[in-house]
mmCIF file with all atom_site columns, all heavy atoms in Angstrom:
data_model
loop_
_atom_site.group_PDB
_atom_site.id
_atom_site.type_symbol
_atom_site.label_atom_id
_atom_site.label_alt_id
_atom_site.label_comp_id
_atom_site.label_asym_id
_atom_site.label_entity_id
_atom_site.label_seq_id
_atom_site.pdbx_PDB_ins_code
_atom_site.Cartn_x
_atom_site.Cartn_y
_atom_site.Cartn_z
_atom_site.occupancy
_atom_site.B_iso_or_equiv
_atom_site.pdbx_formal_charge
_atom_site.auth_seq_id
_atom_site.auth_comp_id
_atom_site.auth_asym_id
_atom_site.auth_atom_id
_atom_site.pdbx_PDB_model_num
ATOM 1   N N   . TYR B 1 80 ? 15.434 42.615 29.374 1.00 95.00 ? 100 TYR B N   1
ATOM 2   C CA  . TYR B 1 80 ? 15.482 43.022 30.799 1.00 95.00 ? 100 TYR B CA  1
ATOM 3   C C   . TYR B 1 80 ? 16.931 42.997 31.253 1.00 95.00 ? 100 TYR B C   1
ATOM 4   O O   . TYR B 1 80 ? 17.576 41.969 30.994 1.00 95.00 ? 100 TYR B O   1
ATOM 5   C CB  . TYR B 1 80 ? 14.612 42.098 31.623 1.00 95.00 ? 100 TYR B CB  1
ATOM 6   C CG  . TYR B 1 80 ? 13.155 42.190 31.375 1.00 95.00 ? 100 TYR B CG  1
ATOM 7   C CD1 . TYR B 1 80 ? 12.518 41.343 30.383 1.00 95.00 ? 100 TYR B CD1 1
ATOM 8   C CD2 . TYR B 1 80 ? 12.252 43.066 32.015 1.00 95.00 ? 100 TYR B CD2 1
ATOM 9   C CE1 . TYR B 1 80 ? 11.214 41.478 30.017 1.00 95.00 ? 100 TYR B CE1 1
ATOM 10  C CE2 . TYR B 1 80 ? 10.965 43.211 31.705 1.00 95.00 ? 100 TYR B CE2 1
ATOM 11  C CZ  . TYR B 1 80 ? 10.421 42.358 30.809 1.00 95.00 ? 100 TYR B CZ  1
ATOM 12  O OH  . TYR B 1 80 ? 9.104  42.528 30.365 1.00 95.00 ? 100 TYR B OH  1
ATOM 13  N N   . ALA B 1 81 ? 17.255 44.028 31.912 1.00 91.00 ? 101 ALA B N   1
ATOM 14  C CA  . ALA B 1 81 ? 18.645 44.117 32.254 1.00 91.00 ? 101 ALA B CA  1
ATOM 15  C C   . ALA B 1 81 ? 18.938 43.351 33.657 1.00 91.00 ? 101 ALA B C   1
ATOM 16  O O   . ALA B 1 81 ? 19.129 43.775 34.759 1.00 91.00 ? 101 ALA B O   1
ATOM 17  C CB  . ALA B 1 81 ? 19.131 45.584 32.525 1.00 91.00 ? 101 ALA B CB  1
ATOM 18  N N   . GLU B 1 82 ? 18.907 41.961 33.450 1.00 90.00 ? 102 GLU B N   1
ATOM 19  C CA  . GLU B 1 82 ? 19.073 41.013 34.584 1.00 90.00 ? 102 GLU B CA  1
ATOM 20  C C   . GLU B 1 82 ? 20.117 40.137 34.227 1.00 90.00 ? 102 GLU B C   1
ATOM 21  O O   . GLU B 1 82 ? 20.519 39.892 33.071 1.00 90.00 ? 102 GLU B O   1
ATOM 22  C CB  . GLU B 1 82 ? 17.734 40.282 34.834 1.00 90.00 ? 102 GLU B CB  1
ATOM 23  C CG  . GLU B 1 82 ? 16.576 41.125 35.104 1.00 90.00 ? 102 GLU B CG  1
ATOM 24  C CD  . GLU B 1 82 ? 15.277 40.339 35.351 1.00 90.00 ? 102 GLU B CD  1
ATOM 25  O OE1 . GLU B 1 82 ? 15.401 39.095 35.341 1.00 90.00 ? 102 GLU B OE1 1
ATOM 26  O OE2 . GLU B 1 82 ? 14.191 41.016 35.469 1.00 90.00 ? 102 GLU B OE2 1
ATOM 27  N N   . VAL B 1 83 ? 20.557 39.486 35.357 1.00 86.00 ? 103 VAL B N   1
ATOM 28  C CA  . VAL B 1 83 ? 21.434 38.267 35.108 1.00 86.00 ? 103 VAL B CA  1
ATOM 29  C C   . VAL B 1 83 ? 20.879 37.079 35.828 1.00 86.00 ? 103 VAL B C   1
ATOM 30  O O   . VAL B 1 83 ? 20.515 37.206 37.086 1.00 86.00 ? 103 VAL B O   1
ATOM 31  C CB  . VAL B 1 83 ? 22.853 38.608 35.565 1.00 86.00 ? 103 VAL B CB  1
ATOM 32  C CG1 . VAL B 1 83 ? 23.638 37.306 35.800 1.00 86.00 ? 103 VAL B CG1 1
ATOM 33  C CG2 . VAL B 1 83 ? 23.576 39.441 34.481 1.00 86.00 ? 103 VAL B CG2 1
ATOM 34  N N   . PRO B 1 84 ? 20.656 35.962 35.250 1.00 91.00 ? 104 PRO B N   1
ATOM 35  C CA  . PRO B 1 84 ? 20.829 35.591 33.838 1.00 91.00 ? 104 PRO B CA  1
ATOM 36  C C   . PRO B 1 84 ? 19.972 36.418 32.990 1.00 91.00 ? 104 PRO B C   1
ATOM 37  O O   . PRO B 1 84 ? 18.882 36.878 33.475 1.00 91.00 ? 104 PRO B O   1
ATOM 38  C CB  . PRO B 1 84 ? 20.613 34.126 33.782 1.00 91.00 ? 104 PRO B CB  1
ATOM 39  C CG  . PRO B 1 84 ? 19.732 33.788 34.913 1.00 91.00 ? 104 PRO B CG  1
ATOM 40  C CD  . PRO B 1 84 ? 20.093 34.737 36.048 1.00 91.00 ? 104 PRO B CD  1
ATOM 41  N N   . PRO B 1 85 ? 20.279 36.590 31.756 1.00 94.00 ? 105 PRO B N   1
ATOM 42  C CA  . PRO B 1 85 ? 19.497 37.403 30.698 1.00 94.00 ? 105 PRO B CA  1
ATOM 43  C C   . PRO B 1 85 ? 18.055 37.030 30.715 1.00 94.00 ? 105 PRO B C   1
ATOM 44  O O   . PRO B 1 85 ? 17.721 35.796 30.843 1.00 94.00 ? 105 PRO B O   1
ATOM 45  C CB  . PRO B 1 85 ? 20.215 37.186 29.418 1.00 94.00 ? 105 PRO B CB  1
ATOM 46  C CG  . PRO B 1 85 ? 21.540 36.621 29.660 1.00 94.00 ? 105 PRO B CG  1
ATOM 47  C CD  . PRO B 1 85 ? 21.394 35.964 31.040 1.00 94.00 ? 105 PRO B CD  1
ATOM 48  N N   . LYS B 1 86 ? 17.166 37.922 30.460 1.00 96.00 ? 106 LYS B N   1
ATOM 49  C CA  . LYS B 1 86 ? 15.812 37.688 30.267 1.00 96.00 ? 106 LYS B CA  1
ATOM 50  C C   . LYS B 1 86 ? 15.266 38.548 29.105 1.00 96.00 ? 106 LYS B C   1
ATOM 51  O O   . LYS B 1 86 ? 15.439 39.697 29.063 1.00 96.00 ? 106 LYS B O   1
ATOM 52  C CB  . LYS B 1 86 ? 14.990 38.014 31.490 1.00 96.00 ? 106 LYS B CB  1
ATOM 53  C CG  . LYS B 1 86 ? 13.451 37.775 31.374 1.00 96.00 ? 106 LYS B CG  1
ATOM 54  C CD  . LYS B 1 86 ? 12.764 38.053 32.658 1.00 96.00 ? 106 LYS B CD  1
ATOM 55  C CE  . LYS B 1 86 ? 11.306 38.018 32.442 1.00 96.00 ? 106 LYS B CE  1
ATOM 56  N NZ  . LYS B 1 86 ? 10.518 38.490 33.717 1.00 96.00 ? 106 LYS B NZ  1
ATOM 57  N N   . VAL B 1 87 ? 14.751 37.806 28.191 1.00 97.00 ? 107 VAL B N   1
ATOM 58  C CA  . VAL B 1 87 ? 14.270 38.544 26.819 1.00 97.00 ? 107 VAL B CA  1
ATOM 59  C C   . VAL B 1 87 ? 12.810 37.963 26.605 1.00 97.00 ? 107 VAL B C   1
ATOM 60  O O   . VAL B 1 87 ? 12.621 36.738 26.578 1.00 97.00 ? 107 VAL B O   1
ATOM 61  C CB  . VAL B 1 87 ? 15.107 38.332 25.670 1.00 97.00 ? 107 VAL B CB  1
ATOM 62  C CG1 . VAL B 1 87 ? 14.569 39.050 24.458 1.00 97.00 ? 107 VAL B CG1 1
ATOM 63  C CG2 . VAL B 1 87 ? 16.583 38.768 25.905 1.00 97.00 ? 107 VAL B CG2 1
ATOM 64  N N   . GLU B 1 88 ? 11.922 38.895 26.403 1.00 98.00 ? 108 GLU B N   1
ATOM 65  C CA  . GLU B 1 88 ? 10.550 38.470 26.186 1.00 98.00 ? 108 GLU B CA  1
ATOM 66  C C   . GLU B 1 88 ? 10.117 38.797 24.756 1.00 98.00 ? 108 GLU B C   1
ATOM 67  O O   . GLU B 1 88 ? 10.532 39.997 24.262 1.00 98.00 ? 108 GLU B O   1
ATOM 68  C CB  . GLU B 1 88 ? 9.657  39.052 27.147 1.00 98.00 ? 108 GLU B CB  1
ATOM 69  C CG  . GLU B 1 88 ? 9.631  38.419 28.534 1.00 98.00 ? 108 GLU B CG  1
ATOM 70  C CD  . GLU B 1 88 ? 8.531  38.892 29.411 1.00 98.00 ? 108 GLU B CD  1
ATOM 71  O OE1 . GLU B 1 88 ? 7.949  39.930 29.081 1.00 98.00 ? 108 GLU B OE1 1
ATOM 72  O OE2 . GLU B 1 88 ? 8.294  38.210 30.383 1.00 98.00 ? 108 GLU B OE2 1
ATOM 73  N N   . TYR B 1 89 ? 9.494  38.022 24.112 1.00 98.00 ? 109 TYR B N   1
ATOM 74  C CA  . TYR B 1 89 ? 8.905  38.229 22.851 1.00 98.00 ? 109 TYR B CA  1
ATOM 75  C C   . TYR B 1 89 ? 7.364  38.357 22.833 1.00 98.00 ? 109 TYR B C   1
ATOM 76  O O   . TYR B 1 89 ? 6.777  37.369 23.337 1.00 98.00 ? 109 TYR B O   1
ATOM 77  C CB  . TYR B 1 89 ? 9.281  37.198 21.845 1.00 98.00 ? 109 TYR B CB  1
ATOM 78  C CG  . TYR B 1 89 ? 10.836 37.215 21.575 1.00 98.00 ? 109 TYR B CG  1
ATOM 79  C CD1 . TYR B 1 89 ? 11.685 36.476 22.385 1.00 98.00 ? 109 TYR B CD1 1
ATOM 80  C CD2 . TYR B 1 89 ? 11.344 37.955 20.532 1.00 98.00 ? 109 TYR B CD2 1
ATOM 81  C CE1 . TYR B 1 89 ? 13.074 36.540 22.122 1.00 98.00 ? 109 TYR B CE1 1
ATOM 82  C CE2 . TYR B 1 89 ? 12.777 38.082 20.360 1.00 98.00 ? 109 TYR B CE2 1
ATOM 83  C CZ  . TYR B 1 89 ? 13.588 37.365 21.164 1.00 98.00 ? 109 TYR B CZ  1
ATOM 84  O OH  . TYR B 1 89 ? 14.917 37.347 20.940 1.00 98.00 ? 109 TYR B OH  1
ATOM 85  N N   . SER B 1 90 ? 6.764  39.354 22.245 1.00 98.00 ? 110 SER B N   1
ATOM 86  C CA  . SER B 1 90 ? 5.417  39.488 22.131 1.00 98.00 ? 110 SER B CA  1
ATOM 87  C C   . SER B 1 90 ? 4.983  40.040 20.776 1.00 98.00 ? 110 SER B C   1
ATOM 88  O O   . SER B 1 90 ? 5.870  40.485 19.992 1.00 98.00 ? 110 SER B O   1
ATOM 89  C CB  . SER B 1 90 ? 4.774  40.361 23.203 1.00 98.00 ? 110 SER B CB  1
ATOM 90  O OG  . SER B 1 90 ? 5.514  41.459 23.396 1.00 98.00 ? 110 SER B OG  1
ATOM 91  N N   . LEU B 1 91 ? 3.726  40.000 20.428 1.00 98.00 ? 111 LEU B N   1
ATOM 92  C CA  . LEU B 1 91 ? 3.288  40.418 19.252 1.00 98.00 ? 111 LEU B CA  1
ATOM 93  C C   . LEU B 1 91 ? 2.898  41.968 19.206 1.00 98.00 ? 111 LEU B C   1
ATOM 94  O O   . LEU B 1 91 ? 2.383  42.395 20.209 1.00 98.00 ? 111 LEU B O   1
ATOM 95  C CB  . LEU B 1 91 ? 2.008  39.694 18.708 1.00 98.00 ? 111 LEU B CB  1
ATOM 96  C CG  . LEU B 1 91 ? 2.300  38.166 18.559 1.00 98.00 ? 111 LEU B CG  1
ATOM 97  C CD1 . LEU B 1 91 ? 0.914  37.511 18.178 1.00 98.00 ? 111 LEU B CD1 1
ATOM 98  C CD2 . LEU B 1 91 ? 3.269  37.963 17.364 1.00 98.00 ? 111 LEU B CD2 1
ATOM 99  N N   . THR B 1 92 ? 3.131  42.556 18.127 1.00 97.00 ? 112 THR B N   1
ATOM 100 C CA  . THR B 1 92 ? 2.646  43.914 17.858 1.00 97.00 ? 112 THR B CA  1
ATOM 101 C C   . THR B 1 92 ? 1.173  43.857 17.463 1.00 97.00 ? 112 THR B C   1
ATOM 102 O O   . THR B 1 92 ? 0.617  42.756 17.249 1.00 97.00 ? 112 THR B O   1
ATOM 103 C CB  . THR B 1 92 ? 3.392  44.584 16.744 1.00 97.00 ? 112 THR B CB  1
ATOM 104 O OG1 . THR B 1 92 ? 3.155  43.776 15.531 1.00 97.00 ? 112 THR B OG1 1
ATOM 105 C CG2 . THR B 1 92 ? 4.834  44.645 17.007 1.00 97.00 ? 112 THR B CG2 1
ATOM 106 N N   . ASP B 1 93 ? 0.496  44.961 17.226 1.00 97.00 ? 113 ASP B N   1
ATOM 107 C CA  . ASP B 1 93 ? -0.866 45.010 16.738 1.00 97.00 ? 113 ASP B CA  1
ATOM 108 C C   . ASP B 1 93 ? -0.920 44.247 15.444 1.00 97.00 ? 113 ASP B C   1
ATOM 109 O O   . ASP B 1 93 ? -1.762 43.453 15.195 1.00 97.00 ? 113 ASP B O   1
ATOM 110 C CB  . ASP B 1 93 ? -1.378 46.374 16.564 1.00 97.00 ? 113 ASP B CB  1
ATOM 111 C CG  . ASP B 1 93 ? -1.744 47.117 17.933 1.00 97.00 ? 113 ASP B CG  1
ATOM 112 O OD1 . ASP B 1 93 ? -1.719 46.324 18.970 1.00 97.00 ? 113 ASP B OD1 1
ATOM 113 O OD2 . ASP B 1 93 ? -1.960 48.266 17.872 1.00 97.00 ? 113 ASP B OD2 1
#
Side-chain angles (χ1 to χ4, degrees):
Chain B
Y100 296 88
E102 301 177 6
V103 161
K106 177 178 171 182
V107 180
E108 283 188 345
Y109 293 89
S110 51
L111 293 178
T112 60
D113 285 350

